[in-house]
Amino acid sequence: MNILVVDDEPLARARLRRLIEAVPGRYCVGEAVDGVQAVEQCRRLSPDVVLLDIGMPGPDGLATARALADLPRPPAVVFVTAHGEFALDAFETGAVHYLLKPVSAQRLEQALARVTVSEPELRVHGTGCQRRVALSDVLYLRAEAKYVTVHCQDDEWLMEDSLARLAEQYAPALLRIHRAVLVNTRHVVALQRTNDGRLWVQLHGLSEPLPVSRRLATAVQRTLHGV
């Protein structure tokens, strides 16, 4: 379980990091000192859980939790605060737990045990509707104009995002095979080479293979070796 610690007090962040790293399977992947930095770190690191203070400069913890809920892959939020009066508001943001400082190792582990690490999802939209699509259901993504088209087994959806960010956030699940294409490696069934030396990726459930650019051929072969 990857955890981001958000608190404007250095000693509070250090204590939580020590408590986290004392438990096998729990990893503190980063720290943030305010709400703005917390959102930026979550976009970059995609933590499973955020331990979030409420009283911080700039956006407070409640506003930050609402912003985190709008991310493509929102983390679970556990509030860790000295302010007991905000518990009801905190749970209305979707938080899974509310801990009062000082936090013991036992209470922190009990809170983290409530968190179920869910499968990554992409926030997509179609004609007049929005939804979340499980990353495992995505075959490949193609950049087209200012949108990314998400190709699933039976549907296509749009995202306003960049392939570069998606590739970074969801590596190694998503692999770039072309300047404009990412494939989901779990759906790769074969890597084929044609007589002209070009490489093609065959995906399960897709009738036609996808071409691999010559520039990326070596990297794709290395990643998919044995697939």
Side-chain angles (χ1 to χ4, degrees):
M1 178 182 290
N2 294 328
I3 303 168
L4 177 72
V5 174
V6 184
D7 198 305
D8 62 317
E9 298 180 4
L11 291 180
R13 296 197 306 273
R15 172 174 167 73
L16 286 174
R17 179 181 280 273
R18 287 196 300 272
L19 292 178
I20 292 166
E21 295 178 346
V23 181
R26 314 292 196 210
Y27 307 99
C28 182
V29 295
E31 300 179 8
V33 301
D34 57 32
V36 173
Q37 194 175 94
V39 174
E40 293 174 349
Q41 291 280 63
C42 282
R43 288 187 183 278
R44 187 173 67 86
L45 300 170
S46 296
D48 302 308
V49 184
V50 171
L51 301 184
L52 183 60
D53 190 18
I54 286 184
M56 299 183 295
D60 65 12
L62 298 175
T64 300
R66 288 189 284 268
L68 294 177
D70 287 334
L71 292 176
R73 186 188 174 193
V77 172
V78 174
F79 280 98
V80 182
T81 178
H83 303 281
E85 66 270 25
F86 296 112
L88 181 59
D89 293 331
F91 285 116
E92 287 179 349
T93 69
V96 299
H97 214 310
Y98 191 94
L99 298 174
L100 291 178
K101 297 176 180 178
V103 178
S104 68
Q106 180 181 9
R107 289 175 60 225
L108 178 59
E109 181 53 30
Q110 288 172 347
L112 294 177
R114 293 189 180 188
V115 177
T116 300
V117 178
S118 59
E119 180 179 352
E121 296 179 321
L122 303 181
R123 178 171 292 185
V124 299
H125 61 87
T127 304
C129 67
Q130 296 188 17
R131 61 169 292 185
R132 293 182 185 275
V133 173
L135 185 63
S136 60
D137 292 335
V138 175
L139 297 178
Y140 69 100
L141 303 96
R142 185 186 298 275
E144 298 173 304
K146 66 176 182 177
Y147 293 101
V148 170
T149 303
V150 181
H151 295 264
C152 301
Q153 187 71 55
D154 301 311
D155 300 290
E156 294 181 5
W157 302 87
L158 296 178
M159 292 182 68
E160 296 183 22
D161 213 324
S162 72
L163 287 189
R165 196 196 69 80
L166 291 168
E168 179 181 4
Q169 180 170 356
Y170 296 107
L174 296 182
L175 172 67
R176 188 186 291 273
I177 66 167
H178 186 277
R179 176 179 55 82
V181 178
L182 301 177
V183 297
N184 189 337
T185 55
R186 72 180 295 168
H187 294 295
V188 175
V189 295
L191 185 61
Q192 306 166 346
R193 186 180 296 276
T194 54
N195 292 334
D196 61 358
R198 296 294 304 275
L199 284 178
W200 299 75
V201 170
Q202 182 67 57
L203 300 177
H204 178 75
L206 198 65
S207 59
E208 298 293 331
L210 299 173
V212 178
S213 72
R214 295 187 186 278
R215 183 176 64 86
L216 295 172
T218 300
V220 170
Q221 280 183 292
R222 185 181 302 117
T223 302
L224 297 180
H225 178 70
V227 175

